Amino acid sequence: MIPLTYYLILSSIVFTIGLYGIMSQRNGVRLLMSVELMLNSANINLVAFSSYNDDMSGQVFTLFSIALAAAEAVIGFAILLSIFRMRNMINIDDINILRW
Amino acid sequence: MTNYMLLAPELILTLVALTTMMVGLFIGKNKTILGYFASIGLVAALSLTVSSLNANETLFYGTLTIDALSQFFKIVFISVSLLVTIASIKYTENDQNADSFFTLLLFSTIGMMVVASANDLVTLFVGFELASLSTYALAGFDKKDPKSIEAAMKYFIIGSLSSALMLFGISFVYGMTGTTSIPGIAENAGALVGSPVGLIAVVMLIAGFGFKMALVPFHMWAPDTYQGAPTVVSALLAAGSKKMGFVAAFRVFVVALAVLSPTWQTAFAILAVITMTLGNVVAISQTSVKRMLAYSSVAQAGYIAMAFAVMTPMAFAGGILYTLSHAFMKTGAFLVVAVVGYMVLSDNKNAKDIDHIDNFKGLSKRMPFTAFAMMVFVFALSGIPPTAGYISKFVLFSSTIEAGLVWLAVIAILNSAISLYYYARVVKYMYFLPAIGGKVSEPAPYAIALILALAGVLVIGIWPEPFVYWAMEAAKVLI
């Protein structure tokens, strides 16, 4: 059986990649992908803990969070789409009418 | 046997929201009636919540709890939503998508209400996401306006980052305590004390909720989003969605993770100080009234966060009462900006920068009632008696001094003094500068919403005893 720590290390690596992606990427779709990575790292945690604690509620939580992540992506793409219709690009660096 | 009467407000709102969505598909161009329908549903939900004010029960295998705290916050959310809905009847006039607007508004209210009575982290997360997803779409509702889309974009990215951080924190809490139920976590939270995992969980959760509450340094999205979003939606975000962050933090930190309080108490004290200072200082230099109100709302979040740092029953009562007063003051102030925007647009259809402070010049001549309402709201926000803002600040600050945190109270009072400058500037523009243009009468929906908000601010200010008592009842759930 794979020790719990391995799962936690995996999830922290995935989480860090996602966080780095949010900080560094400027393309809207890549940002969404980074957010998904972060959510999924939490899902890995939940399932691993659920399996090691012998408690089902973590896995049920994961099902909920997968569904919510899908809904979130839909809203995100809808917003990106309306930006694309207006400006023909989704580089979020250029979206800067509102500042200070 | 589950007592469904306790859940009736949520059920009624869900029904109204779904009906609004379906009926909206079939009726023609004029969708104003849906706004009235949504308002009636909200009034019904409000009266049902008031009727079960003293309930204390857990429902659905302990996933939802109905207690004084949840009922208090539900009333805050429903009142904000009601004011926004009434005002939106005018805002969405002649709008093809009015049905989606009201549906999303109701769904976000339901999400906030679920968070208020969540007794399990799964319920809390689902409610949080329901409210967030609906408000992302609402912020970008004016999809022809680049500002609105930009506001939605920023809100969405930061919001989804915050839910990811929150979920990551929750996963560690679940892993160490072996349960997602909030009372269950409170029993087993000993496992988190002194462990690095507990620290990571607390940091992630503070960041996750902090983004929603717009505490500095997690506030960057708030001014942009409040400025860019349609003004009625900014009112909902500042007065409703932000309170959802607070009630979630009350449930998770104060109830579930109480044993970790030395860790998060200091963090909240520091966050409160930098939040109120930065919010007030930056608000001084704003020329857009909407953005100024956004920064003032950041500062107000700093005051409310003091309750977490003080951690006495009286401080919690002050913080909770502050959320109620802030709901009325801030919704009212944003609705005034919406009325002024309506006035400017009726002067000149292609006006730019409709929320600029120059548009408030001589408002007392052009719209005497709106100007008076705005004066009351900004004075309430700065804490001048006899308004709701004064009472809640009084309870909160005096409890801080009682608890021995005099330095914190002094910083908060100095901040209130700073804030008076930019609030008084709005009053100066409205009352002492000459008007450009003639008298304009307020559209009825806006006027009704303003009267209700004004009534809320003044009633709490003039007759505070029942409200303070009620907030103390709610605070008893926490400690």
Side-chain angles (χ1 to χ4, degrees), chain A residues 15-89:
Chain A
F15 184 82
T16 320
I17 295 172
L19 198 59
Y20 173 76
I22 289 208
M23 306 280 180
S24 63
Q25 296 302 316
R26 289 293 161 250
N27 183 301
V29 178
R30 288 192 183 186
L31 279 174
L32 274 179
M33 287 162 70
S34 310
V35 170
E36 292 295 308
L37 278 181
M38 290 174 74
L39 285 169
N40 282 327
S41 73
N43 289 345
I44 296 175
N45 263 352
L46 283 170
V47 174
F49 280 129
S50 156
S51 161
Y52 279 81
N53 287 346
D54 238 348
D55 175 70
M56 284 305 284
S57 56
Q59 297 182 32
V60 176
F61 202 152
T62 311
L63 290 178
F64 275 101
S65 84
I66 289 172
L68 287 169
E72 201 164 279
V74 170
I75 300 268
F77 279 118
I79 294 172
L80 286 178
L81 201 63
S82 44
I83 290 183
F84 187 77
R85 283 199 181 130
M86 194 173 290
R87 303 166 167 250
N88 244 344
M89 58 91 210

Side-chain angles (χ1 to χ4, degrees), chain B residues 65-385:
Chain B
T65 172
I66 309 289
D67 52 29
L69 183 72
S70 78
Q71 299 308 84
F72 190 99
F73 273 92
K74 276 181 196 175
I75 286 172
V76 172
F77 297 142
I78 299 176
S79 324
V80 170
S81 188
L82 181 61
L83 295 176
V84 172
T85 308
I86 293 174
S88 304
I89 292 174
K90 184 69 196 171
Y91 168 72
T92 57
E93 205 183 33
N94 309 322
D95 194 325
Q96 280 288 307
N97 301 319
D99 48 341
S100 332
F101 186 92
F102 289 113
T103 311
L104 288 168
L105 193 63
L106 290 169
F107 275 134
S108 70
T109 316
I110 297 164
M112 292 172 202
M113 289 163 72
V114 170
V115 172
S117 56
N119 200 29
D120 191 293
L121 292 181
V122 183
T123 330
L124 187 119
F125 187 69
V126 173
F128 218 87
E129 288 293 282
L130 176 57
S132 305
L133 294 179
S134 320
T135 43
Y136 298 151
L138 280 177
F141 191 74
D142 202 350
K143 60 182 179 188
K144 297 268 162 20
D145 177 10
K147 275 188 183 171
S148 174
I149 294 290
E150 180 178 341
M153 180 75 199
K154 287 180 171 166
Y155 183 35
F156 169 74
I157 289 173
I158 301 289
S160 51
L161 172 67
S162 89
S163 20
L165 289 173
M166 196 170 76
L167 191 65
F168 202 65
I170 287 176
S171 75
F172 280 123
V173 173
Y174 165 69
M176 297 300 279
T177 58
T179 171
T180 53
S181 139
I182 287 179
I185 292 170
E187 271 169 37
N188 301 329
L192 289 160
V193 178
S195 83
V197 175
L199 197 64
I200 295 176
V202 168
V203 170
M204 294 286 173
L205 286 171
I206 288 184
F209 295 140
F211 275 119
K212 255 294 151 315
M213 298 188 265
L215 299 176
V216 179
F218 314 113
H219 70 293
M220 316 75 87
W221 63 275
D224 289 348
T225 303
Y226 294 175
Q227 190 189 358
T231 314
V232 280
V233 177
S234 314
L236 179 74
L237 290 176
S241 161
K242 173 176 280 206
K243 306 300 149 46
M244 177 179 73
F246 278 104
V247 71
F250 277 133
R251 292 264 182 221
V252 171
F253 288 114
V254 184
V255 179
L257 300 176
V259 286
L260 289 171
S261 63
T263 323
W264 51 257
Q265 234 177 327
T266 334
F268 271 110
I270 298 167
L271 286 178
V273 169
I274 53 175
T275 303
M276 56 180 114
T277 314
L278 187 126
N280 279 324
V281 170
V282 180
I284 290 177
S285 61
Q286 300 306 322
T287 51
S288 154
V289 178
K290 240 165 135 182
R291 208 171 175 80
M292 184 208 86
L293 286 174
Y295 275 108
S296 111
S297 158
V298 169
Q300 310 273 342
Y303 300 137
I304 303 175
M306 282 165 63
F308 291 96
V310 180
M311 272 272 286
T312 60
M314 206 57 207
F316 282 128
I320 292 169
L321 183 63
Y322 209 124
T323 58
L324 179 69
S325 346
H326 184 247
F328 286 114
M329 312 186 283
K330 198 54 108 191
T331 318
F334 270 115
L335 291 184
V336 169
V337 179
V339 179
V340 173
Y342 164 82
M343 178 191 83
V344 173
L345 285 179
S346 63
D347 287 352
N348 170 12
K349 259 204 157 143
N350 303 314
K352 287 263 177 332
D353 287 335
I354 52 172
D355 49 345
H356 196 275
I357 193 163
D358 282 346
N359 294 326
F360 280 72
K361 271 183 189 164
L363 195 66
S364 59
K365 304 275 180 335
R366 303 198 62 188
M367 291 175 139
F369 172 67
T370 308
F372 172 74
M374 185 63 167
M375 185 177 71
V376 173
F377 294 139
V378 292
F379 280 161
L381 283 167
S382 61
I384 289 175

Side-chain angles (χ1 to χ4, degrees), chain B residues 401-414:
Chain B
I401 295 172
E402 246 168 54
L405 289 164
V406 180
W407 61 274
L408 189 58
V410 169
I411 293 175
I413 291 166
L414 286 178

